[in-house]
Amino acid sequence: MLREWQALWQDPWQRALLLIGPPVLFLLLGALFGNGQARGLPVALVDKDGSSLSRTLGRYLAASPGLAVTGFGDEQEAYHALRAGRLYGVVLVPPGFEADVRLQRQPRLEAVYNGQFMLVGKLVNSALAQVSGQLNAELGTLQALAVRPVAASALGQAQPLRPQLTALYNGNSDYRRFLLSAALPALLQILVVAAALLGLDRRCRQPGQRLDGRLLGRLWLSYTGYGLLYGTLMLALMFGLWGWPLQGGLPPLLLGLAAMSAAASLLGFALYVLSFDPTRGLSLAAALTAPSFAFLGISFPAADMSGFAQFWRLLLPASHYVELQSGQLYYGEGWGAASGRLWPFLCYLPLLGLVRLKAVRRPA
């Protein structure tokens, strides 16, 4: 293994892929989601009523930590800024808003947000719904006080059912923890597949080199160690530098990283021997692994995916590792449950036989 790494060090591209690529890309992804929570999203308030109630609505919107409210006098100007990307949402208060509320005529309060930005749109929509619910509860309580002078009774009449949402595994709604827990393994998988593919190509380009079982075993061990090394760095960033809580243990995660790296290495070898062309091999690797984040079942539930998407997901070693990681990160699963999530990696072992068979038939 050490001899293989010394040989890789002689190739500048492999050296960059082995030494510089993983830590730089891990830290870059961490910096992109450094805040963890979206704050101060610009939203326009177009107040055509100018009443005390509309100003109260404006204060509630401004008090929401996720929003940064800007007043606009003209709705067309606000919509133009929304289309230009300078705003994420527009709240339009119609004329006669307070009068309609007092007369119980249910005025139409218009709120528009840009749904093309899925995460931002969800946050803006959630903040607007929270403000609207709070204002409705207060207005209903004030109206009920005229009939029931007791404040608690009036509140119960205005809002008999008060929902309470409690996040069990991500109480602070930290999007860095939510997204990076899948993005980093997906990135590590891409790096291991690419490194193994290029490493096998480098060996095949050497004059008189035969891909016997001993050489393949040494290459497989080398790139499994490569993935495990930088997987350990990934865990150090998660639980050391960023301070994520870990409900389970590190040993199952390290075993899962070794299994994922071994499977990703075999996948890289197999994609290369299909044509013995590094360009085609890397193209196939990119087509298979680059969109893997979308298939891991974190940002979109795996159960709701189509049959083809679930089949694609099964081909990706990172998808099986992320299941094991989620069990340790959030649920504190024991060794019994963790071992049950490791067996899918055994399905990649036949690729070693395929690589060996193709290597024997390799064109001169």
Side-chain angles (χ1 to χ4, degrees):
M1 182 176 173
L2 290 177
R3 288 198 303 268
E4 182 63 27
W5 278 51
Q6 289 173 356
L8 292 175
W9 189 259
Q10 306 304 318
D11 188 334
W13 288 104
Q14 290 275 10
R15 186 165 63 243
L17 189 61
L18 289 171
L19 184 64
I20 302 175
V24 170
L25 292 174
F26 287 170
L27 292 174
L28 178 61
L29 277 180
L32 286 176
F33 300 99
N35 291 331
Q37 296 175 328
R39 291 286 186 266
L41 302 174
V43 172
L45 175 63
V46 182
D47 186 359
K48 291 190 172 184
D49 188 42
S51 61
S52 60
L53 185 58
S54 65
R55 289 191 293 271
T56 300
L57 174 63
R59 288 195 297 270
Y60 284 168
L61 288 173
S64 177
L67 303 180
V69 180
T70 303
F72 276 75
D74 180 44
E75 60 182 295
Q76 296 303 323
E77 181 184 356
Y79 288 142
H80 178 73
L82 178 65
R83 297 188 187 96
R86 297 194 300 272
L87 296 174
Y88 291 120
V90 175
V91 179
L92 176 61
V93 183
F97 173 70
E98 183 176 21
D100 289 342
V101 170
R102 301 301 181 192
L103 296 175
Q104 299 184 357
R105 287 195 293 223
Q106 294 185 344
R108 180 182 178 183
L109 182 65
E110 184 175 317
V112 181
Y113 63 90
N114 191 347
Q116 290 181 325
F117 303 101
M118 295 180 61
L119 173 60
V120 172
K122 177 183 176 182
L123 292 174
V124 172
N125 183 34
S126 176
L128 294 176
Q130 183 178 6
V131 169
S132 175
Q134 182 180 359
L135 187 61
N136 285 333
E138 291 193 7
L139 290 174
T141 302
L142 291 175
Q143 292 174 354
L145 279 174
V147 180
R148 296 175 180 267
V150 180
S153 178
L155 178 60
Q157 182 179 357
Q159 196 177 15
L161 298 177
R162 304 175 64 183
Q164 177 180 348
L165 300 178
T166 303
L168 296 179
Y169 306 115
N170 193 8
N172 295 327
S173 298
D174 188 341
Y175 282 92
R176 178 173 65 178
R177 181 182 173 192
F178 172 66
L179 295 175
L180 287 186
S181 63
L184 290 179
L187 175 60
L188 179 62
Q189 172 188 252
I190 295 173
L191 292 171
V192 174
V193 170
L197 190 152
L198 292 176
L200 185 59
D201 172 66
R202 181 184 55 81
R203 279 293 188 178
C204 289
R205 284 189 285 106
Q206 294 179 359
Q209 180 68 67
R210 295 182 65 256
L211 293 179
D212 54 17
R214 182 180 179 184
L215 175 59
L216 285 176
R218 192 165 70 229
L219 289 172
W220 188 24
L221 178 62
S222 298
Y223 291 106
T224 299
Y226 164 76
L228 180 59
L229 172 65
Y230 286 110
T232 305
L233 173 63
M234 178 185 75
L235 296 181
L237 291 175
M238 289 180 177
F239 307 119
L241 181 62
W242 298 329
W244 296 1
L246 178 62
Q247 303 300 325
L250 282 175
L253 290 179
L254 293 173
L255 185 58
L257 283 171
M260 183 187 77
S261 302
S265 301
L266 289 177
L267 192 59
F269 294 161
L271 292 174
Y272 174 73
V273 300
L274 290 177
S275 63
F276 289 97
D277 183 345
T279 303
R280 292 181 181 179
L282 284 175
S283 298
L284 291 173
L288 178 64
T289 62
S292 58
F293 175 77
F295 295 95
L296 296 185
I298 297 298
S299 60
F300 187 83
D304 294 335
M305 295 180 183
S306 65
F308 179 74
Q310 293 194 17
F311 171 73
W312 194 307
R313 181 174 181 272
L314 292 176
L315 297 178
L316 300 170
S319 65
H320 308 295
Y321 168 75
V322 165
E323 289 184 357
L324 185 147
Q325 178 183 265
S326 297
Q328 299 301 313
L329 182 62
Y330 301 118
Y331 314 131
E333 293 180 344
W335 274 105
S339 60
R341 301 185 185 279
L342 288 172
W343 72 262
F345 292 109
L346 298 176
C347 299
Y348 293 90
L349 287 177
L351 292 177
L352 187 60
L354 171 65
V355 173
R356 183 71 182 92
L357 180 63
K358 293 287 290 184
V360 172
R361 302 177 180 179
R362 177 168 65 102

